[in-house]
Amino acid sequence: MCMRGKQLPPRERHFLLLTLIPVYFIAAAFVLQPAGEIFPGLLTIIREPDFLITDYFVIGGVGAAFVNAGVLTLISIGIVYFLGMEFDGHTITSACLMFGFSLFGKNLLNIWAILLGVFLYARYHKTSVSRYIYIGFYGTSLSPIITQVMQMGNLPVGLRTGLCIFTGVVIGFVLPPLSTHVHYAHKGYSLYNVGFAGGIIATVIVSLLRSFGMETESRLIWSTGHNQEYFILLSVLFIGMILFGMVTDKTSLKGYGNIWKSPGLGGTDYYKSEGGEATLINMGINGMAVMTFLMLVGGDLNGPTIGSIFTVVGFSATGKHFRNIMPVMVGVWLASKLKLWSITDPSSSLALLLSTTLAPIAGEFGVLAGVLAGFLHSSVALNVGIVYGGMNLYNNGFAGGLVAIFLVPVIQSIMDRRARAKGGISL
């Protein structure tokens, strides 16, 4: 890419390339929905409750959902750019997560109070907000709480607005220290670390709200019947990623091979270790793989599942690859054959895709451990959400953290025992 005859510096070029993802879907929005319906759809998305599971494709229309997600993603990328931060794998992950979950929970209004809390935390500790901005983006998984507080009872609008801001600031302020602390519990074996912290925060806040008589009803808004058109839309993007990565760097396949060798523990950055082109290939392959898996088991492509697919795509820059996500997904699929639910149920479809938070277990301990992790995750993910009434969009992050804390020490103890036995040492 050139500007005035000169090639853009690498940092600017990579930020610009990342913006092509939201721009692609904003353009698609005006093809998939009449332009006159998009702005009213955006207003509906902002006004509606958005706790799990709320498909913005139904609430505001597919075009409005893509515009909401695309604009929020562009804003997020812009914030990172203007903070002067270097482009890395976490830039990609945070952008893809912001896009994905803005299809079913985050909107143009409900994320800002949480980000304000993170900013105030940085000011309180007299450090740059750039140190915590990614945690802030991930922490907007709790944005349904903001929408819910805004709709509390018959309180005056001014008071509800004040409560929203206060609640969001509290969430954002406690996220950084809590996210750091819980990481030591699962040791990076669950990639959705902020989702785990968010589940704890949501449990506390929702419990407080229930103590004052505020209840949330179960919710399921889920669109069906458009698999073919969305499959084509996503396939064009993912195949384009693969081809672009292969064509622009002839050594990118070697880098992709190196990605396969990585266990993918939390903190991994494939962009830094293997380069942008190899990372892009990994993102495209993983996107095609999980989307195809979902189609093969009879799942639906809609706001929540496309958002979950983009979660996998985003974390393909920071830990996930085909070798470590497939065993976990197979474990969830096998569980559906033995348990009382179907893999095509909405919550089960999300668990299938988002169980890949446990990819490092498969990457570190092997295929059987990954299958077991997915098998356990399916049960935990389908039951923990009741604690906080769907107010944590990263429900599978909370479930994955619990599974990792439970399973990893057991696996490690068995491996240690086998190692001692091979060495002739008994317990």
Side-chain angles (χ1 to χ4, degrees):
M1 289 179 195
C2 294
M3 183 176 289
R4 296 181 182 177
K6 295 182 180 180
Q7 188 167 348
L8 289 171
R11 178 177 182 269
E12 282 71 17
R13 186 168 66 251
H14 293 153
F15 272 103
L16 186 60
L17 284 171
L18 185 59
T19 65
L20 294 180
I21 295 176
V23 168
Y24 174 77
F25 284 100
I26 291 173
F30 291 91
V31 176
L32 296 170
Q33 185 176 6
E37 297 178 6
I38 289 179
F39 183 71
L42 284 170
L43 291 178
T44 304
I45 285 172
I46 290 171
R47 291 170 180 162
E48 278 281 323
D50 34 38
F51 49 92
L52 291 175
I53 301 173
T54 302
D55 187 347
Y56 283 171
F57 283 13
V58 178
I59 295 296
V62 62
F66 279 146
V67 169
N68 177 68
V71 171
L72 274 176
T73 306
L74 289 173
I75 291 171
S76 302
I77 296 170
I79 289 172
V80 175
Y81 178 82
F82 288 110
L83 283 173
M85 299 171 63
E86 288 302 314
F87 189 98
D88 61 17
H90 299 285
T91 311
I92 299 170
T93 300
S94 65
C96 288
L97 257 70
M98 188 61 76
F99 177 82
F101 283 90
S102 295
L103 297 175
F104 67 116
K106 303 179 185 181
N107 63 53
L108 291 164
L109 186 63
N110 66 7
I111 69 168
W112 302 111
I114 295 173
L115 292 176
L116 175 61
V118 173
F119 173 78
L120 292 175
Y121 179 84
R123 290 293 300 269
Y124 176 76
H125 285 277
K126 298 181 180 179
T127 187
S128 172
V129 69
S130 61
R131 184 176 178 181
Y132 304 111
I133 191 63
Y134 292 135
I135 291 177
F137 289 151
Y138 300 145
T140 55
S141 65
L142 298 172
S143 55
I145 295 176
I146 309 302
T147 305
Q148 194 66 24
V149 171
M150 191 63 193
Q151 298 176 353
M152 285 179 63
N154 298 315
L155 296 176
V157 173
L159 180 56
R160 280 182 282 154
T161 302
L163 285 172
C164 283
I165 295 172
F166 174 76
T167 303
V169 167
V170 169
I171 291 171
F173 199 88
V174 302
L175 261 172
L178 187 57
S179 297
T180 301
H181 182 76
V182 299
H183 183 271
Y184 293 107
H186 58 74
K187 298 180 180 179
Y189 285 97
S190 176
L191 293 174
Y192 307 162
N193 182 60
V194 178
F196 186 38
I200 296 171
I201 295 171
T203 300
V204 172
I205 291 178
V206 171
S207 296
L208 282 170
L209 294 175
R210 286 172 175 168
S211 297
F212 289 97
M214 178 180 169
E215 292 289 341
T216 58
E217 299 178 1
S218 59
R219 187 175 179 88
L220 177 58
I221 300 177
W222 185 266
S223 63
T224 60
H226 300 279
N227 282 7
Q228 183 175 355
E229 59 193 274
Y230 298 153
F231 185 87
I232 294 171
L233 181 69
L234 296 178
S235 295
V236 169
L237 179 64
F238 296 149
I239 293 173
M241 288 178 174
I242 298 168
L243 294 177
F244 185 87
M246 293 174 65
V247 170
T248 54
D249 182 0
K250 302 301 181 183
T251 66
S252 57
L253 288 177
K254 180 180 179 181
Y256 177 65
N258 292 335
I259 287 174
W260 266 53
K261 299 173 185 177
S262 162
L265 285 168
T268 298
D269 189 333
Y270 295 140
Y271 176 87
K272 285 186 175 180
S273 64
E274 306 302 333
E277 288 78 10
T279 301
L280 202 59
I281 292 171
N282 191 45
M283 292 167 65
I285 288 175
N286 287 352
M288 285 300 301
V290 297
M291 178 174 63
T292 303
F293 198 123
L294 180 68
M295 295 294 92
L296 289 175
V297 300
D300 300 304
L301 281 177
N302 52 30
T305 55
I306 292 175
S308 301
I309 289 167
F310 267 89
T311 301
V312 177
V313 171
F315 275 96
S316 298
T318 52
K320 297 184 183 181
H321 50 76
F322 186 87
R323 185 178 67 84
N324 68 5
I325 63 175
M326 279 298 133
V328 183
M329 294 182 69
V330 168
V332 177
W333 175 75
L334 287 175
S336 72
K337 300 299 180 182
L338 301 174
K339 299 179 183 179
L340 301 177
W341 42 266
S342 169
I343 196 68
T344 59
D345 293 342
S347 295
S348 306
S349 293
L350 298 187
L352 174 70
L353 297 166
L354 296 173
S355 63
T356 52
T357 181
L358 297 169
I361 293 179
E364 180 76 13
F365 303 116
V367 171
L368 291 179
V371 171
L372 178 59
F375 189 92
L376 294 176
H377 179 88
S378 64
S379 294
V380 177
L382 297 182
N383 287 283
V384 295
I386 193 171
V387 178
Y388 40 74
M391 292 295 176
N392 176 26
L393 293 174
Y394 301 167
N395 177 64
N396 281 270
F398 184 54
L402 294 175
V403 172
I405 291 171
F406 169 80
L407 186 59
V408 169
V410 176
I411 295 174
Q412 288 177 331
S413 69
I414 294 172
M415 293 180 68
D416 289 346
R417 177 65 183 87
R418 287 179 176 176
R420 284 193 293 269
K422 288 180 180 179
I425 303 172
S426 60
L427 289 176

